[in-house]
Amino acid sequence: SSVQTIGEEQIQNPYTELLVLKGHQDIVRFLVQIDDYRFASAGDDGIIFIWNAQTGEKLYELHGHTHKITAIAPFSSSDVTEENTDLIITASADRTVIVWDCASGRQVQKVSCFHSTVKCLTVLQRLNVWLSGGSDLCIWNRKLDLLCKTSHLTDAGISALVELPKNCVAAAVGKELIIFRLIASSNGSEGWNILEVKRLVDHQDNISSLVSVNDLTFVTGSHIGELIVWDALDWTKQASECNFWDSSVHPDVQPEIKLSQSPHETSVQHLTSDEECVFAAVGKGIYVYNLQMKRVIACQRTAHDSSVLHIEKLPNRQLISCSEDGSVRIWELREKQQLPAEPVPTGFFNMWGFGRANKQANQAAKKMHENTPVYFLELVGDLIGHSSAVQMFLYFGELGLATCSADHLIILWKDGERESSLRSLTLFRKLAQNGDLQLRL
Amino acid sequence: MISAPDVVAFTREEELEDDLYREPPLPEEYSVPLFPFSGQGANPWAKVAGSKFTRDFILISEFSEQVGPQPLLTIPDDAKVSGTFDLNYFSLRIMSVDYQASFVGHPPGSAYPKLNFVEDSKVVLGDSKEGAFAYVHHLTLYDLEARGFVRPFCMAYISADEHKIMQQFQELSTEFSKASECLKTGNRKAFANELEKKLKDLDYTRTVLHNETEQQKKANDKGYYTTQAIEKANELASVEKSIIEHQDLLRQIRSYPYRKLKDSEFHPYEPECALDRADVGNDQDLAASNPTEPGETPLYTHVPSYTPKLIKAKSAKCFDKKLKTLEELCDVYFFTQTLDQLHHIERTFRGDVCYLLTEQISRALLKQQSVTNFLFEDVSFLDEKPPEKQYRGCQGLGQDAIDEKCSEESLAPKVVISLGSYKSSVECVPIKMEQEMEDSEEPKMSESVISEHQENLDYLDADIKGSISSGESIEVLGTEKSGSGLTKSESQASLPVMPSPQAGRSKVGSRRTVSEDSIEVLSTCPSESLIPEDFKASYPSAINEEPYADDDEGGLRFAPRANPGANDGQDDASKQESLVQVDAACCIRKESPNFLEPLPELGQKPCEEDGVVRIPPQPYRPAEQGLRGGFPSHDGLSAGLLPYELDSRYLSGGREVSKSSLDECSDSTSYISSAASTCSDRTPSPAHLGSAAGDRHRKRAGQNALRFIRQYPFAHPAIYSLLSGRTLVVLGEDEAMVKRLVTALSIFVPNCGAYAKPVKHWVTSPLHLVDFQKWKLIGLQRAMSPAGVNVLHALSRYSRYLSILDADSKTLRCPLYKGTVVARLADHRTQIKRGSTYYMHVQSILTQLCSKAFLFTFCHHLHLPISEREPEESVVSRRMNFLKLQLGLSNEDIKIVQYLAELLKLHYIQEPGQGGNPLLRFDYVPSFLYKI
């Protein structure tokens, strides 16, 4: 099926102004928010930039890593007594981890005692510690003291970490999901012990994404498109959707499409969630899985021309996705009005353009959604600016949207109307400063 | 219907006025005075038909001590220019004018001859017999062989138009001072060299004489001196005296206080200067201590090639020797520099004075307009100083040394123009006339100074208008007083000073009449031949075009009733326009009653009852630059006038605008075409515009643009794209063609605040997003290679940010345009034929757009809520209302003004130091494909 296009007229797309932020020399892979107006970017050139999201001003350029950055995490201090410094932690392929001070742009400390590349970093704000995951899992405190580390787990290393309730973390190691528990050591005030609690081996393939939905639930996705919903407390499988991408489930989809799907195209690239739904970027498509109904309520089979790399749910029922095809698309989850009298294909099937669906399929579809509201994802806008894969984006609310890409650029997308009125405000402020508002006699 | 005042505006001469109006038979409205010079086949613009030369030129003469006054050269160096004009006679005239003779020689009480470093004298001279008026700049150059060491020279700018000389006196003086400075610097250098040689000769002579004396002493032991010996001793003594004298002269010439250089832009080239000066100190000592070894003194080491000569006691007869030429008197380098400068002067002041003044005014005003001037104006235009390439080379070299010298010296010479000084040096009419004029002018001026600044603005406005609309307005000479009054008022203007609706209204009426007049004037122009071919055809058609008529009607909605001074109807008028009321109310924050007083006399001041605009453009000098990017109100539009006033001018302005630009040209060209019939270059060279290259570029761009709008029916949406900040890509295989199109379209591209237009003439690689931030007009190569495919791919990918003009298939892909501004800007039926004319036409409309954008940007309540509780929506609706109703913009025109306003904001809030991130604004609007 062809990718839905929206054309040039996009009334609902607020982003009518952009700023190109140049600085990186290589693929930019990571964007992290530091506070309300700052964010950091990092990528394969090993440089970290700190930007002002409002003005696009480059605040700091942090040099220290010699290889590409593999993970980045912000670490804002939760402790009130300490002076409030925003830190960011970066891990690199040069097997070092550096802690930076965002306020001064200086390197606070550097750790280089790793045996392998740290692939993921997680900050447990509550415990005021952070974890690094590579071939083993280490626990560090704010001062970068190594508190505890596990034994060598695997050569492949931990690909993802997520915090669970009761001082637990889930680590994705290959096909396995390992649950660790942090136990405060009895002797020291700040000592922690780490204990492997459980190994979950339900996935058939490598776990590619891991996201915590709420205190009770977390979700994993694998390379062959399995999506498993876990109970966060007892680590049992609540539900799984192992082939929801599979067109055979949906009888109205032509079978040849299924054949064309390579494993890569079914990989769960990224997961995100709100309280009700899990949004999965699977191959080129986006799927919305409702936790309550335990099924996919809406999907966009080919949301992009190539793999979707990152998706994010916005507060206003909107969803943003970015893809290897270099575009960013804004979707809105809408409820489709049921038209009971007419046996036409329902909403989202129709949107794919399969008008030739047979009668049987129609009936099946109708049956399927008989009593439930039907949702569909409508394309409300797309942002074209990058000339290469858009790796990630960061939603800054009304400040706009920052996207980073393999074309070495970061683009800040902004609401032109808002920017314009902000500029007016600045203008009149400056006028008042200069005294030009006063009558000169 | 043609009414008399209009014709009078054209032909009436001041002197004839009384006689003609005394004759009763014709009703006044039909009385057309005869043109005084009609018998000679001249035209009304030729003020002095009797002049014997065809155009202005510069004459350099010398008062030779041998043959008396003689012309040396003219610029331009063309026999045709001076024609039958008697240069010899005129040289006599200008050299006979008393000037401050520089006294050189033995002043009483001084042992040695003294060089006087005299100021140049500058006088204005008129010769009614020759029909010539001249600015005369006297200067003296030093020549060792000349009587009293000085050679008096003078440079004269000769014109048939005395007004030009009088009004441009200040400018001429400045420019000629530069030339003179250059000459004199070279001369000092040459003179110093000459002195050195002479000193060497004298030294040598002394040595020889000394030896001879010694020999004689030895040979003659008789104990008494022979006459021969006494003679020799005398000779020796005189040589020694001469040496001392010359050393003193050398010291004087070298210690010339470089005071003149301090403030002038001119920095002469004197690489050896520091060296020379260093040596001067030792000069005397060395000469005294080692008198017998002249060849070895360090002083002379740097001129080793010179072999001293023996100086005979008696030099050649005064009249036998050949005087040095001007070129010899100065260094060759400096001489050519001076010639360049003089050529520059000639180019600058060529053309009609009206044009010069308008040019100067607009330049001065533009400079002040720091908020908006970057948008469409030439960069060179905005330079602080007129570009002077001639001196670029030397500035860098000699700068440091000179700065040092300058630092301790006094200020630059002041050219004080006092009427008295004129009078002393000039024998004929102009001065008296100016005095009279000044007298009559003074009450008016003081009046306007006292009254509110808005009036002044308006007055200024009318001034400008006057210069545009009247062909013969240069009757009243601008006075210094009026200039300063205006300047003051300029500085007072600031945003919140919005005049009341009433005041605005009363002004509009009068302004309209002025412009009407100017239209009629053109139409009643007595002789077709006087109108440059460009305007002949365009005039009638411009009037009859329907779209403009529509505009007129649209404009009437907010056009005020044209009854200046009528108070009654105004209140309900303002009630009717409730929107206006709101706007005005918050614009005028402190509503002063002064604003509400209608000032009818002020509206009418510029034009008297017969409609003749009597006030000429004033040579405007930007005295106060203290506006700090504030509100340089240019012509009152930006600072103070009410929106609907703009309307009345703009909406009805479709044809007026084009006309006013036509008028402007006709003024400037007509003079040349008639008075200077043989002049080959018919375009007036804009005053101080700087390089002729910029001029040529403008002409070419205008020409190309004209061709473009005639050739492409979809020129409007293309131009709209440029004006609204959407990058336009011109795609084509042929580089020359693409570049030509880009050049043509570049005149519509607003500047983004950078120092160069965001135009890229030729690109061969695929475009990226960053390019659209940087460039708003791009010429792109279409190639059949794989690389070319990439180029096209990038184009289609970024098509939402682009308008694409395909020069090969003659198609345009861009958003729809339904506004009216561009139609006025680029009417394919336009009869304008010349590029420079069209360029001016475009400039005038773009200037209007700028002022609208300015108004829009700096109206507080359009962007910010009036009260804290006011919702955003009401601000937005107010904003849109303002754009639509007050600024009279429709459809896409709004976007143009919004884009310009955005540029203004960015420009204003940008900190001087930082460059600021270029941002790209765009709209999600569908594009359409246009084909021929």
Side-chain angles (χ1 to χ4, degrees):
Chain A
S1 65
S2 61
V3 177
Q4 187 188 351
T5 53
I6 184 165
E8 281 165 332
E9 199 163 9
Q10 304 174 10
I11 303 151
Q12 284 178 286
N13 189 342
Y15 300 109
T16 55
E17 192 173 307
L18 63 82
L19 271 174
V20 176
L21 311 183
K22 284 186 272 190
H24 282 288
Q25 316 283 319
D26 208 332
I27 301 176
V28 191
R29 293 187 189 273
F30 302 101
L31 296 174
V32 284
Q33 186 165 355
I34 296 165
D35 53 21
D36 287 344
Y37 71 100
R38 285 182 299 173
F39 69 95
S41 67
D44 288 2
D45 55 2
I47 310 169
I48 299 117
F49 287 94
I50 297 177
W51 308 90
N52 182 326
Q54 171 55 43
T55 61
E57 195 188 341
K58 189 190 291 174
L59 300 173
Y60 291 112
E61 188 172 338
L62 312 178
H63 291 271
H65 289 297
T66 55
H67 286 76
K68 64 177 189 176
I69 309 287
T70 52
I72 181 167
F75 193 6
S76 57
S77 76
S78 56
D79 203 341
V80 190
T81 55
E82 273 180 68
E83 53 181 302
N84 195 7
T85 50
D86 288 311
L87 303 177
I88 50 171
I89 310 167
T90 57
S92 159
D94 60 7
R95 297 190 197 173
T96 58
V97 168
I98 300 182
V99 178
W100 310 89
D101 183 359
C102 298
S104 64
R106 278 180 299 128
Q107 180 177 326
V108 176
Q109 208 165 341
K110 182 172 183 172
V111 186
S112 45
C113 62
F114 295 97
H115 297 299
S116 67
T117 303
V118 174
K119 288 188 177 164
C120 53
L121 293 167
T122 300
V123 174
L124 305 186
Q125 214 55 260
R126 198 162 37 87
L127 305 176
N128 209 19
V129 296
W130 56 274
L131 313 177
S132 66
S135 59
D136 48 15
L137 183 68
C138 306
I139 305 176
W140 310 80
N141 69 2
R142 203 177 165 78
K143 296 179 192 117
L144 255 78
D145 302 321
L146 179 61
L147 303 177
C148 178
K149 72 186 267 187
T150 63
S151 58
H152 184 80
L153 291 166
T154 161
D155 285 334
I158 299 168
S159 60
L161 275 172
V162 71
E163 183 185 1
L164 299 178
K166 295 186 183 171
N167 290 359
C168 288
V169 285
V173 183
K175 294 176 189 175
E176 292 181 348
L177 193 65
I178 307 176
I179 311 290
F180 293 100
R181 172 167 284 159
L182 278 74
I183 301 163
S185 66
S186 46
N187 48 2
S189 57
E190 235 198 337
W192 289 97
N193 282 323
I194 193 153
L195 193 70
E196 185 181 320
V197 182
K198 195 166 185 182
R199 276 190 190 233
L200 306 167
V201 287
D202 296 72
H203 275 295
Q204 303 297 310
D205 202 346
N206 288 343
I207 296 169
S208 54
S209 52
L210 176 61
V211 68
S212 162
V213 175
N214 51 34
D215 277 352
L216 299 172
T217 328
F218 70 99
V219 187
T220 55
S222 79
H223 275 300
I224 51 162
E226 302 149 305
L227 184 94
I228 300 179
V229 182
W230 305 90
D231 188 309
L233 296 173
D234 58 6
W235 316 301
T236 53
K237 193 154 87 174
Q238 286 190 335
S240 75
E241 187 83 35
C242 57
N243 52 3
F244 61 88
W245 70 92
D246 194 345
S247 48
S248 61
V249 174
H250 308 285
D252 56 336
V253 177
Q254 308 294 319
E256 54 264 36
I257 290 167
K258 184 180 114 193
L259 291 174
S260 71
Q261 280 180 334
S262 68
H264 178 69
E265 286 178 332
T266 63
S267 161
V268 180
Q269 309 274 359
H270 188 245
L271 287 171
T272 187
S273 72
D274 58 5
E275 286 297 309
E276 296 171 18
C277 299
V278 173
F279 304 89
V282 182
K284 296 175 185 174
I286 300 170
Y287 295 81
V288 182
Y289 181 84
N290 190 299
L291 291 169
Q292 226 107 64
M293 291 185 258
K294 297 196 174 173
R295 63 176 185 82
V296 173
I297 55 163
C299 71
Q300 193 57 251
R301 206 158 287 266
T302 43
H304 283 273
D305 283 322
S306 48
S307 296
V308 180
L309 296 177
H310 195 87
I311 53 172
E312 204 78 65
K313 173 75 170 47
L314 309 189
N316 53 357
R317 290 190 75 76
Q318 284 188 344
L319 192 68
I320 298 181
S321 63
C322 68
S323 153
E324 276 177 356
D325 65 7
S327 68
V328 177
R329 295 186 154 208
I330 306 166
W331 308 88
E332 192 164 295
L333 189 62
R334 289 195 182 155
E335 206 169 312
K336 179 79 182 175
Q337 291 297 317
Q338 286 277 26
L339 298 171
E342 243 179 299
V344 291
T346 47
F348 63 94
F349 296 120
N350 197 26
M351 287 188 52
W352 305 332
F354 302 124
R356 300 190 292 110
N358 57 40
K359 204 178 176 184
Q360 192 187 6
N362 284 341
Q363 282 163 353
K366 201 182 168 192
K367 215 175 283 171
M368 205 163 113
H369 305 293
E370 213 160 325
N371 301 319
T372 54
V374 178
Y375 293 96
F376 68 102
L377 283 170
E378 176 162 334
L379 184 62
V380 294
D382 62 345
L383 308 177
I384 293 174
H386 289 292
S387 55
S388 186
V390 182
Q391 298 288 337
M392 195 178 172
F393 59 86
L394 201 59
Y395 178 69
F396 259 98
E398 58 177 7
L399 280 192
L401 185 77
T403 57
C404 68
S405 158
D407 62 4
H408 311 180
L409 299 178
I410 298 165
I411 298 182
L412 266 181
W413 304 85
K414 291 171 164 293
D415 181 347
E417 288 287 313
R418 183 177 174 275
E419 292 302 310
S420 173
S421 60
L422 279 180
R423 272 194 288 273
S424 285
L425 198 66
T426 320
L427 177 106
F428 287 109
R429 220 174 268 151
K430 186 166 175 184
L431 275 176
Q433 259 172 28
N434 293 355
D436 287 332
L437 281 178
Q438 303 311 311
L439 233 134
R440 282 190 205 189
L441 291 172
Chain B
M1 192 61 211
I2 299 162
S3 59
D6 309 315
V7 184
V8 168
F10 246 73
T11 58
R12 197 184 60 179
E13 280 287 338
E14 211 58 50
E15 302 81 38
L16 290 169
E17 189 177 9
D18 290 346
D19 301 313
L20 282 160
Y21 283 88
R22 240 176 270 141
E23 290 171 9
L26 268 177
E28 207 196 7
E29 61 265 36
Y30 295 123
S31 67
V32 180
L34 292 170
F35 180 61
F37 300 112
S38 54
Q40 293 159 39
N43 74 76
W45 288 282
K47 294 241 171 59
V48 183
S51 69
K52 290 174 180 166
F53 49 96
T54 53
R55 61 189 256 201
D56 297 357
F57 64 99
I58 295 171
L59 171 69
I60 300 184
S61 328
E62 180 196 3
F63 197 103
S64 163
E65 62 194 60
Q66 291 172 344
V67 296
Q70 60 169 351
L72 295 181
L73 55 95
T74 60
I75 291 168
D77 192 11
D78 186 357
K80 267 191 290 184
V81 170
S82 50
T84 59
F85 186 65
D86 189 347
L87 288 177
N88 279 312
Y89 170 75
F90 205 74
S91 293
L92 175 66
R93 292 293 306 274
I94 57 178
M95 291 306 290
S96 65
V97 176
D98 182 31
Y99 65 96
Q100 281 177 281
S102 58
F103 178 81
V104 183
H106 294 263
S110 166
Y112 306 126
K114 206 135 188 94
L115 287 179
N116 274 6
F117 299 105
V118 289
E119 304 283 321
D120 298 350
S121 76
K122 300 147 188 185
V123 295
V124 173
L125 177 112
D127 187 329
S128 47
K129 180 172 152 273
E130 294 281 325
F133 298 86
Y135 164 86
V136 186
H137 193 109
H138 291 279
L139 70 153
T140 46
L141 299 179
Y142 301 109
D143 183 356
L144 204 54
E145 288 152 31
R147 193 163 53 197
F149 302 136
V150 288
R151 304 265 303 266
F153 285 90
C154 88
M155 302 180 284
Y157 185 90
I158 301 165
S159 166
D161 183 0
E162 80 259 42
H163 300 305
K164 182 195 273 188
I165 302 293
M166 295 308 284
Q167 297 188 2
Q168 301 294 308
F169 184 84
Q170 196 60 271
E171 288 79 8
L172 281 167
S173 154
T174 317
E175 295 298 312
F176 271 103
S177 294
K178 285 181 203 160
S180 153
E181 226 20 80
C182 191
L183 268 184
K184 288 198 288 190
T185 310
N187 174 244
R188 278 194 299 274
K189 202 165 117 69
F191 187 60
N193 280 339
E194 206 184 351
L195 274 172
E196 278 177 10
K197 285 180 189 172
K198 183 71 181 267
L199 271 174
K200 243 187 281 181
D201 291 347
L202 287 169
D203 254 329
Y204 179 70
T205 313
R206 181 173 60 177
T207 318
V208 172
L209 282 173
H210 191 77
N211 289 344
E212 282 176 10
T213 320
E214 289 299 310
Q215 276 172 359
Q216 272 184 346
K217 269 186 194 164
K218 278 179 199 159
N220 188 347
D221 296 333
K222 288 171 190 165
Y224 63 90
Y225 298 109
T226 61
T227 34
Q228 216 180 6
I230 292 172
E231 236 171 60
K232 275 273 183 281
N234 280 342
E235 211 174 308
L236 189 61
S238 79
V239 166
E240 297 216 328
K241 182 167 179 277
S242 180
I243 286 177
I244 294 173
E245 279 177 8
H246 279 85
Q247 279 172 345
D248 192 59
L249 280 177
L250 186 62
R251 188 185 49 75
Q252 287 181 42
I253 197 77
R254 281 178 167 162
S255 64
Y256 175 76
Y258 287 81
R259 59 170 180 271
K260 292 215 161 200
L261 309 180
K262 189 168 184 190
D263 276 358
S264 73
E265 298 148 27
F266 170 61
H267 298 285
Y269 172 64
E270 289 205 310
E272 295 167 13
C273 205
L275 182 68
D276 283 354
R277 276 167 61 87
D279 288 341
V280 168
N282 305 330
D283 188 8
Q284 279 173 317
D285 299 346
L286 288 168
S289 61
N290 299 332
T292 50
E293 301 169 340
E296 287 167 29
T297 47
L299 176 62
Y300 303 127
T301 48
H302 61 284
V303 274
S305 58
Y306 182 70
T307 40
K309 294 189 290 273
L310 188 68
I311 293 175
K312 299 258 174 66
K314 300 236 168 117
S315 60
K317 279 273 187 308
C318 193
F319 289 94
D320 296 344
K321 71 184 177 204
K322 185 180 162 289
L323 284 172
K324 289 198 188 70
T325 63
L326 190 55
E327 200 166 344
E328 287 164 349
L329 271 180
C330 314
D331 202 82
V332 180
Y333 171 78
F334 287 96
F335 182 69
T336 45
Q337 292 289 294
T338 310
L339 283 188
D340 284 349
Q341 165 70 2
L342 291 176
H343 277 291
H344 168 72
I345 294 174
E346 195 274 327
R347 271 199 310 274
T348 308
F349 291 94
R350 172 195 293 181
D352 193 83
V353 65
C354 182
Y355 187 78
L356 284 176
L357 289 173
T358 317
E359 218 33 79
Q360 283 167 4
I361 291 168
S362 60
R363 245 172 51 84
L365 292 174
L366 267 174
K367 248 184 212 171
Q368 286 214 327
Q369 237 187 312
S370 56
V371 173
T372 54
N373 59 12
F374 71 95
L375 278 177
F376 291 106
E377 298 304 332
D378 255 354
V379 184
S380 61
F381 214 84
L382 303 174
D383 284 348
E384 282 303 307
K385 293 156 185 171
E388 299 194 353
K389 286 194 209 136
Q390 302 96 303
Y391 299 118
R392 284 282 147 72
C394 30
Q395 270 183 2
L397 283 165
Q399 187 100 40
D400 290 352
I402 282 141
D403 280 352
E404 258 177 43
K405 283 169 211 151
C406 293
S407 55
E408 74 253 13
E409 292 304 335
S410 61
L411 289 165
K414 283 184 197 117
V415 185
V416 183
I417 319 177
S418 71
L419 292 169
S421 79
Y422 283 157
K423 205 166 187 180
S424 70
S425 55
V426 182
E427 63 223 276
C428 70
V429 220
I431 282 136
K432 250 178 94 187
M433 180 178 149
E434 173 166 282
Q435 250 173 340
E436 282 168 14
M437 284 318 179
E438 196 203 29
D439 288 344
S440 67
E441 195 64 7
E442 227 161 354
K444 271 188 196 170
M445 282 322 192
S446 55
E447 186 185 305
S448 69
V449 170
I450 306 163
S451 57
E452 283 299 322
H453 33 261
Q454 95 197 33
E455 301 163 34
N456 288 333
L457 289 177
D458 197 49
Y459 174 71
L460 179 68
D461 190 19
D463 258 3
I464 294 165
K465 197 75 188 176
S467 72
I468 293 167
S469 60
S470 146
E472 216 184 355
S473 59
I474 326 292
E475 285 161 18
V476 182
L477 292 173
T479 62
E480 289 299 306
K481 236 176 205 134
S482 64
S484 65
L486 289 169
T487 319
K488 194 175 159 221
S489 71
E490 278 296 289
S491 67
Q492 288 168 346
S494 66
L495 176 66
V497 192
M498 291 294 228
S500 67
Q502 286 83 356
R505 193 160 299 139
S506 69
K507 279 177 275 177
V508 175
S510 58
R511 184 173 294 113
R512 283 173 71 88
T513 52
V514 169
S515 47
E516 291 306 333
D517 282 350
S518 71
I519 292 166
E520 300 301 343
V521 166
L522 250 192
S523 68
T524 56
C525 186
S527 146
E528 271 266 295
S529 65
L530 300 179
I531 310 174
E533 72 236 22
D534 223 346
F535 310 121
K536 265 189 220 163
S538 75
Y539 175 65
S541 74
I543 279 241
N544 294 327
E545 277 179 11
E546 264 107 338
Y548 298 143
D550 290 346
D551 282 351
D552 265 336
E553 280 169 19
L556 284 179
R557 269 172 77 188
F558 280 88
R561 276 155 271 186
N563 51 347
N567 282 326
D568 356 352
Q570 286 166 3
D571 283 355
D572 26 336
S574 48
K575 270 173 206 157
Q576 284 168 7
E577 301 158 3
S578 60
L579 265 164
V580 177
Q581 188 88 28
V582 171
D583 293 334
C586 50
C587 278
I588 311 166
R589 287 154 95 208
K590 291 164 197 141
E591 229 166 337
S592 135
N594 290 347
F595 293 150
L596 299 174
E597 274 167 26
L599 297 147
E601 82 281 358
L602 112 93
Q604 295 191 325
K605 202 187 316 171
C607 47
E608 307 212 342
E609 70 289 329
D610 56 359
V612 177
V613 179
R614 283 166 171 268
I615 297 144
Q618 308 285 324
Y620 183 84
R621 289 178 190 91
E624 278 185 66
Q625 287 291 348
L627 290 174
R628 266 191 311 166
F631 293 91
S633 44
H634 58 309
D635 49 3
L637 291 177
S638 49
L641 300 191
L642 265 193
Y644 52 81
E645 186 182 354
L646 296 175
D647 272 12
S648 67
R649 262 174 73 175
Y650 289 145
L651 291 185
S652 62
R655 61 160 189 248
E656 271 179 36
V657 161
S658 57
K659 198 138 319 123
S660 67
S661 67
L662 298 187
D663 281 350
E664 200 174 358
C665 299
S666 71
D667 268 355
S668 51
T669 49
S670 58
Y671 169 69
I672 296 168
S673 63
S674 52
S677 53
T678 53
C679 175
S680 56
D681 184 9
R682 299 189 47 184
T683 32
S685 125
H688 302 300
L689 266 192
S691 59
D695 229 12
R696 267 201 306 280
H697 167 79
R698 229 164 291 161
K699 213 189 283 181
R700 209 182 55 219
Q703 194 60 55
N704 286 341
L706 259 181
R707 204 172 300 144
F708 173 75
I709 60 171
R710 291 218 181 90
Q711 198 177 348
Y712 293 85
F714 45 72
H716 290 183
I719 292 169
Y720 163 66
S721 286
L722 293 171
L723 286 176
S724 61
R726 187 177 170 113
T727 301
L728 179 72
V729 173
V730 181
L731 184 66
E733 282 179 57
D734 179 17
E735 180 171 352
M737 182 168 70
V738 169
K739 278 188 173 168
R740 204 162 47 234
L741 273 173
V742 170
T743 310
L745 288 165
S746 65
I747 64 173
F748 302 105
V749 181
N751 230 326
C752 297
Y755 278 97
K757 283 238 173 194
V759 175
K760 181 82 180 168
H761 281 80
W762 187 243
V763 177
T764 53
S765 55
L767 297 173
H768 287 280
L769 193 65
V770 188
D771 299 329
F772 313 139
Q773 279 185 318
K774 240 186 303 178
W775 297 317
K776 294 299 171 194
L777 176 59
I778 304 174
L780 184 66
Q781 183 187 35
R782 182 208 298 275
M784 287 306 142
S785 60
V789 174
N790 284 342
V791 167
L792 293 182
H793 178 73
L795 273 193
S796 72
R797 178 172 180 83
Y798 295 118
S799 61
R800 70 174 54 171
Y801 307 116
L802 298 175
S803 296
I804 300 164
L805 176 64
D806 191 328
D808 299 330
S809 62
K810 303 256 189 293
T811 60
L812 173 72
R813 193 188 159 282
C814 78
L816 202 61
Y817 175 74
K818 296 194 294 287
T820 55
V821 167
V822 177
R824 251 180 280 154
L825 194 62
D827 179 10
H828 69 276
R829 287 170 297 180
T830 180
Q831 298 294 320
I832 299 177
K833 285 198 179 63
R834 278 173 26 199
S836 52
T837 313
Y838 183 68
Y839 183 86
M840 283 193 261
H841 169 68
V842 169
Q843 263 330 72
S844 77
I845 292 187
L846 293 180
T847 306
Q848 288 176 12
L849 275 176
C850 280
S851 54
K852 287 188 187 190
F854 180 90
L855 203 57
F856 175 67
T857 314
F858 288 94
C859 266
H860 185 274
H861 64 288
L862 296 180
H863 305 279
L864 302 175
I866 293 170
S867 69
E868 280 176 23
R869 278 160 300 162
E870 193 182 23
E872 180 63 24
E873 293 78 54
S874 80
V875 180
V876 170
S877 74
R878 189 164 55 224
R879 186 156 60 220
M880 288 319 282
N881 270 329
F882 181 84
L883 286 168
K884 278 183 193 150
L885 303 177
Q886 264 106 356
L887 292 186
L889 299 168
S890 54
N891 305 322
E892 279 77 17
D893 292 340
I894 290 176
K895 282 197 182 147
I896 297 179
V897 169
Q898 279 176 332
Y899 173 68
L900 296 182
E902 227 41 61
L903 291 180
L904 289 182
K905 282 187 215 168
L906 283 169
H907 184 74
Y908 188 82
I909 63 182
Q910 184 187 323
E911 297 298 328
Q914 75 195 71
N917 269 313
L919 49 84
L920 180 65
R921 287 174 62 82
F922 48 91
D923 290 306
Y924 297 104
V925 286
S927 288
F928 296 88
L929 189 70
Y930 294 86
K931 289 177 186 158
I932 284 189

